[in-house]
Amino acid sequence: QVQLVESGGGLVQPGGSLRLSCAASGIFFGINAMGWYRQGPGKERELVAVSTSGGSTKYADSVKGRFTISRDNAKKTVYLQMNSLKPEDTAVYYCNAEALVGGTIGTNSLEVWGQGTLVTVSS
């Protein structure tokens, strides 16, 4: 099984910065796409950013120019650098990854979610 552990959440003032990290561990062959989702109070979960195995990235319009997703494949870790934070960014941030695990025939893809880390942007 594969596990994702997020860290870096906390309380930050508007305009501040925060860096989230998500490390993958367990039994797997490799990691394909990794991304970040968030769910604010009383809101639906939304995609924040995605990094594909090919190196391309995708961001939600609400965070473009402020957030940056990056990966360290050697450490099997994905990061989310969040700058110019706004109160609207307050949410539980979840890491998501598509892992390659051993199967009877070749490998299988497995979607894995982290436990979430709370980011609160407030004065």
Side-chain angles (χ1 to χ4, degrees), residues 10-43:
L11 175 64
V12 64
Q13 294 184 334
S17 298
L18 211 59
R19 189 191 190 209
L20 306 182
S21 64
C22 173
S25 63
I27 303 174
F28 58 92
F29 181 76
I31 300 291
N32 289 329
M34 297 189 76
W36 291 93
Y37 290 77
R38 69 183 181 186
Q39 186 168 14
K43 299 181 179 180

Side-chain angles (χ1 to χ4, degrees), residues 65-85:
R66 300 188 298 119
F67 291 11
T68 302
I69 187 171
S70 61
R71 296 174 64 169
D72 185 334
N73 291 325
K75 291 183 171 61
K76 296 180 175 60
T77 301
V78 64
Y79 306 92
L80 184 67
Q81 179 66 47
M82 304 183 293
N83 299 323
S84 301
L85 284 163

Side-chain angles (χ1 to χ4, degrees), residues 53-109:
S53 59
S56 64
T57 57
K58 178 182 178 181
Y59 298 92
D61 290 337
S62 60
V63 306
K64 285 182 178 178
R66 300 188 298 119
F67 291 11
T68 302
I69 187 171
S70 61
R71 296 174 64 169
D72 185 334
N73 291 325
K75 291 183 171 61
K76 296 180 175 60
T77 301
V78 64
Y79 306 92
L80 184 67
Q81 179 66 47
M82 304 183 293
N83 299 323
S84 301
L85 284 163
K86 304 175 180 180
E88 305 90 90
D89 296 318
T90 296
V92 176
Y93 285 71
Y94 297 93
C95 179
N96 172 267
E98 292 183 48
L100 296 177
V101 298
T104 304
I105 303 177
T107 58
N108 298 320
S109 61

